[in-house]
Amino acid sequence: MTKIPEKDHHIIEQAIYLPMLLTILNRDLKIIENSPFKLKKPYLEWIEETMKSIQKELSSIKRYMKQHQIKVEKLKSDETFTMYLFLYKGYEEHHNYFNPRLRNRSEELLRYYLFQKGAN
């Protein structure tokens, strides 16, 4: 049983997913820069603005985690699972994440940041 409250667990998961989104968007940015698109600039700006929004939120999450003695570390990964170590106020917990779930959740969050968040 976890000792981590749901709110803080959500924060920890954001600390896992948001860097993944930045990696994905960085790759996509490079692909678009090297693509034969006729008008690249709007796409590049869209991705850059999305990245700024994610970076701002990630900065806030990191600040919260530091203030509340929370750390997360990726321990190992194989073709099926990725294991993370959560350090929460002196307690250690190991959590396995199913890789397809990580991918699907990353895709959901990417949609949110690209579409809904930008509309707000």
Side-chain angles (χ1 to χ4, degrees):
M1 187 70 189
T2 183
K3 294 184 182 286
I4 303 172
E6 190 173 328
K7 177 188 178 217
D8 288 343
H9 195 272
H10 175 73
I11 294 286
I12 290 169
E13 287 198 337
Q14 291 293 91
I16 292 170
Y17 287 113
L18 294 183
M20 285 183 197
L21 294 183
L22 290 172
T23 300
I24 292 164
L25 289 169
N26 253 324
R27 285 185 195 155
D28 292 350
L29 202 57
K30 287 178 180 131
I31 290 168
I32 290 171
E33 286 171 346
N34 298 319
S35 73
F37 284 7
K38 194 146 188 122
L39 299 171
K40 296 178 193 180
K41 195 169 182 180
Y43 298 104
L44 296 173
E45 289 172 353
W46 184 33
I47 291 174
E48 288 166 352
E49 287 303 312
T50 301
M51 289 175 72
K52 284 179 191 173
S53 175
I54 292 169
Q55 288 166 336
K56 185 177 177 183
E57 195 159 328
L58 183 57
S59 174
S60 170
I61 284 169
K62 286 181 178 181
R63 199 170 25 260
Y64 177 90
M65 289 175 65
K66 186 172 184 155
Q67 291 170 347
H68 292 87
Q69 302 168 0
I70 303 169
K71 290 184 181 178
V72 61
E73 293 178 27
K74 182 177 177 180
L75 292 180
K76 62 183 178 178
S77 189
D78 60 31
E79 35 317 307
T80 310
F81 290 98
T82 301
M83 180 182 280
Y84 290 92
L85 170 65
F86 296 174
L87 299 167
Y88 183 81
K89 299 181 182 182
Y91 294 100
E92 285 188 17
E93 293 184 7
H94 291 84
H95 291 261
N96 271 321
Y97 284 80
F98 189 49
N99 289 340
R101 172 68 180 132
L102 287 171
R103 185 188 65 245
N104 291 341
R105 181 65 179 136
S106 294
E107 190 173 324
E108 289 170 17
L109 285 170
L110 189 56
R111 276 194 185 96
Y112 169 75
Y113 282 100
L114 287 170
F115 301 110
Q116 283 92 9
K117 183 136 177 116
N120 293 335

